[in-house]
């Protein structure tokens, strides 16, 4: 059941942020609507779930992956599994204690929560967290171990790699707290790392996401810096002295061209693309972050923002494009790095117990229009993942999948919406005899051997 609001329970462990205590494999208890029979595959989502029941920060909980398998118009099973990392194996031990070897002054990147995102590429399913190596999972969510691309990965890996829908290449970066602070990687469609390039930056900044275009990648070097002397111990904090800037580099590497932007933090990019030497990037922006330490949320709520970087003139224009507080921006995987007409986000609230969530679909075709699906009172959800219909050529022709929480029942469900009509009643709800805590990011893994019906 959901933890009752309690003044002694920190926000990140209260309500549906509270961890669950069991790993289960169960069948749904009841359904509403009809699951489209063409949805053949597994919806997976990662998130923090501290094994001890306590963690010092929302981001610090052990990674737990939740999945529902859909086939033939039915939901076959739900299961949740911890990612077996050294932190999981040593509950209560601090990350710094496990990862840092004072004798050699080295950091063991196998020590990670692996709690942020999931990547399906080259036949592998990887659980990602930006401070460590990926962990490879089976489709049944069992942990195989750390995955370092045959030894080619020398740094942590971002939780937000991009797969080019045209070339199948995997593009990503890794950051470290010591030089080299930033390394760029490009891998083949088969998952072989073709390129690893150090990108010179002056200090460690918290770089959570990036973006790609047809020919370029875009890094976000923003003013959340790693400070060994931060109040409360080494950690991330806002720095007015660090110039916010975006760096554009060819996908094949080389020099980075930096564009100074107004101070901000951007957790997530929606997408980016290039037309006529202008790179357009859309993301969720706050005006500052963690000015008073990593529990300070005074920088406000994120809103969709658009930057245009002119590669000919070296100029930048930027604008907030909607006033709604939103997060978890996604586009169809088929348009990543390319011009897009649509985007999908979830409402964002700093309230400890929001009454309900909203999923918004943006249409950028002519201006910016927003259509909204509002969940019932007491129902909240996380990131909505777009899944295309079979054989469609229309960017928006598909479904939105997310895990939701029914506070009154204390249980979770998979929510399936029609992306072409998000305001309509759900296509289906798959209700589960288990609670699914709030989490971060996920993906849809189609079953390749099953032909569409
Ligand atoms: Fe993220």
């Amino acid at each position: 059941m959901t933890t009752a609001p309690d003044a002694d329970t920190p926000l990140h462990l209260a309500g549906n942020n509270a961890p669950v205590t069991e790993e289960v494999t169960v069948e749904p208890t009841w359904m509403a609507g009809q699951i489209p029979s063409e949805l053949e595959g597994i919806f997976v989502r990662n998130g923090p779930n501290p094994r001890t029941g306590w963690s010092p920060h929302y981001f610090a909980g052990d990674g737990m992956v939740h999945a529902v398998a859909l086939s033939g118009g039915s939901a076959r099973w739900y299961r949740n599994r911890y990612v077996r990392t050294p932190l999981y194996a040593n509950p209560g031990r601090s990350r710094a204690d496990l990862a840092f070897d004072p004798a050699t002054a080295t950091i063991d990147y196998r020590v990670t929560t692996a709690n942020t995102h999931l990547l399906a590429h080259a036949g592998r399913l990887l659980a990602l967290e930006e401070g460590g190596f990926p962990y490879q999972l089976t489709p049944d969510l069992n942990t195989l171990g750390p995955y370092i691309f045959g030894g080619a990965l020398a740094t942590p890996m971002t939780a937000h790699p991009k797969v080019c829908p045209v070339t199948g290449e995997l593009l990503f970066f890794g950051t470290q707290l010591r030089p080299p602070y930033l390394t760029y990687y490009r891998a083949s469609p088969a998952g072989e790392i073709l390129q690893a390039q150090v990108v010179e930056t002056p200090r460690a900044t918290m770089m959570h996401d990036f973006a790609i275009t047809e020919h370029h990648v875009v890094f976000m070097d923003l003013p959340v810096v790693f400070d060994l002397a931060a109040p409360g111990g080494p950690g991330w904090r806002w720095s007015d002295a660090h110039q916010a800037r975006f760096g554009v580099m060819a996908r094949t590497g080389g020099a980075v061209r930096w564009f100074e932007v107004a101070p901000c933090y951007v957790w997530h990019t929606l997408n980016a693309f290039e037309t006529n030497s202008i790179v357009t990037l859309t993301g969720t922006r706050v005006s500052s972050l963690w000015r008073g330490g990593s529990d300070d949320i005074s920088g406000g709520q994120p809103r969709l923002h658009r930057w245009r970087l002119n590669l000919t003139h070296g100029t930048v224009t930027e604008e907030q494009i909607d006033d709604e507080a939103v997060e978890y921006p996604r586009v169809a995987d088929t348009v990543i790095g390319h011009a897009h007409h649509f985007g999908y986000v979830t409402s964002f609230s700093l309230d400890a117990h929001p009454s309900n969530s909203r999923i918004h679909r943006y249409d950028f075709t002519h201006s910016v229009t927003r259509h909204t699906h509002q969940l019932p009172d007491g129902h909240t959800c996380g990131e909505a993942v777009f899944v295309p219909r079979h054989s469609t050529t229309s960017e928006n022709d598909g479904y939105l999948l997310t895990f939701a929480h029914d506070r009154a029942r204390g249980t979770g469900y998979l929510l399936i919406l029609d992306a072409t009509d998000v305001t309509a009643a759900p296509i289906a709800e798959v209700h589960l005899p288990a609670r699914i805590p709030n989490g971060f990011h996920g993906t849809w893994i189609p079953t390749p051997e099953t032909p569409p019906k």
Side-chain angles (χ1 to χ4, degrees):
M1 294 295 290
T2 306
T3 303
D6 180 338
D8 296 329
T9 304
L11 170 62
H12 73 274
L13 298 173
N16 198 39
N17 290 332
V20 293
T21 55
E22 285 185 283
E23 296 179 314
V24 300
T25 302
V26 294
E27 295 182 357
T29 44
W30 61 282
M31 296 261 307
Q34 177 62 54
I35 299 170
S37 60
E38 66 179 340
L39 287 177
E40 293 276 348
I42 305 172
F43 178 65
V44 286
R45 198 219 65 196
N46 208 340
N49 198 90
R51 188 180 183 188
T52 63
W54 184 88
S55 65
H57 192 276
Y58 188 51
F59 295 168
D62 300 295
M64 177 177 275
V65 180
H66 304 260
V68 164
L70 304 180
S71 180
S74 296
R76 303 297 188 195
W77 48 257
Y78 158 82
R79 72 181 65 196
N80 63 318
R81 294 292 184 275
Y82 278 107
V83 186
R84 263 58 176 181
T85 69
L87 283 167
Y88 172 87
N90 294 275
R93 293 275 300 277
S94 82
R95 181 166 184 159
D97 181 33
L98 278 173
F100 184 67
D101 181 350
T104 59
T106 55
I107 299 171
D108 184 349
Y109 292 131
R110 293 174 299 181
V111 180
T112 168
T113 60
N115 72 5
T116 310
H117 205 341
L118 294 152
L119 168 69
H121 185 256
R124 297 180 188 92
L125 175 60
L126 303 178
L128 306 170
E129 184 253 342
E130 67 196 41
F133 290 148
Y135 269 70
Q136 187 175 0
L137 310 180
T138 69
D140 290 340
L141 309 185
N142 295 317
T143 303
L144 295 174
Y147 182 75
I148 57 171
F149 294 84
L153 182 68
T155 68
M157 177 177 178
T158 175
H160 287 283
K162 310 297 179 198
V163 177
C164 175
V166 175
T167 67
E169 286 183 317
L170 175 68
L171 309 172
F172 64 97
F173 65 92
T175 57
Q176 300 183 101
L177 301 179
R178 61 177 65 173
Y181 298 117
L182 174 61
T183 305
Y184 167 70
Y185 297 92
R186 181 168 60 90
S188 72
E192 179 190 3
I193 288 186
L194 305 173
Q195 181 177 0
Q197 177 187 323
V198 171
V199 176
E200 294 297 336
T201 56
R203 65 184 305 176
T205 56
M206 190 169 70
M207 201 173 286
H208 182 68
D209 197 354
F210 81 138
I212 67 170
T213 68
E214 187 177 358
H215 301 292
H216 297 92
V217 296
V218 187
F219 301 111
M220 301 188 292
D221 184 24
L222 302 174
V224 175
V225 304
F226 190 75
D227 186 353
L228 282 170
W236 300 103
R237 66 166 178 83
W238 180 266
S239 169
D240 287 317
H242 189 88
Q243 172 65 51
R245 57 185 192 156
F246 288 176
V248 180
M249 186 181 79
R251 279 193 187 188
T252 50
V256 179
R257 186 156 178 195
W258 292 101
F259 294 79
E260 296 186 357
V261 298
C264 66
Y265 195 75
V266 180
W267 281 112
H268 298 116
T269 60
L270 174 82
N271 199 19
F273 58 93
E274 58 188 78
T275 47
N276 301 325
S277 297
I278 294 177
V279 170
T280 300
L281 185 151
T282 306
T284 48
R285 177 191 188 272
V286 289
S287 56
S288 70
L289 181 76
W290 296 353
R291 191 175 282 279
S294 62
D295 289 324
D296 180 2
I297 51 177
S298 63
Q301 304 187 357
R303 289 179 168 80
L304 270 192
H305 206 80
R306 181 187 286 151
W307 293 262
R308 288 196 171 95
L309 316 176
N310 188 313
L311 302 181
T312 303
H313 301 297
T315 54
V316 181
T317 61
E318 54 179 295
E319 58 179 337
Q320 180 177 307
I321 59 174
D322 192 36
D323 58 5
E324 191 76 2
V326 299
E327 252 301 348
Y328 300 124
R330 297 287 293 246
V331 293
D333 289 347
T334 52
V335 294
I336 290 174
H338 295 78
H340 62 107
H341 296 294
F342 296 93
Y344 314 96
V345 300
T346 305
S347 60
F348 181 84
S349 172
L350 296 172
D351 187 342
H353 303 283
S355 62
N356 59 4
S357 293
R358 297 178 298 284
I359 294 173
H360 304 293
R361 184 197 68 188
Y362 285 99
D363 184 342
F364 304 109
T365 305
H366 299 296
S367 55
V368 177
T369 57
R370 165 168 32 94
H371 292 88
T372 300
H373 182 90
Q374 180 148 330
L375 275 66
D377 281 347
H379 291 231
T380 51
C381 72
E383 179 184 70
V385 174
F386 178 85
V387 181
R389 291 177 65 90
H390 280 298
S391 306
T392 187
T393 56
S394 171
E395 178 189 333
N396 185 50
D397 187 12
Y399 310 99
L400 294 172
L401 273 58
T402 185
F403 282 131
H405 175 62
D406 179 340
R407 189 184 307 161
R409 286 194 175 89
T411 51
Y413 62 98
L414 173 67
L415 173 64
I416 303 176
L417 301 180
D418 181 350
T420 67
D421 188 7
V422 294
T423 61
I427 288 180
E429 296 175 3
V430 180
H431 286 261
L432 305 165
R435 186 170 66 81
I436 304 175
N438 298 331
F440 297 132
H441 307 285
T443 192
W444 169 253
I445 308 171
T447 307
E449 61 269 28
T450 306
K453 293 185 172 63

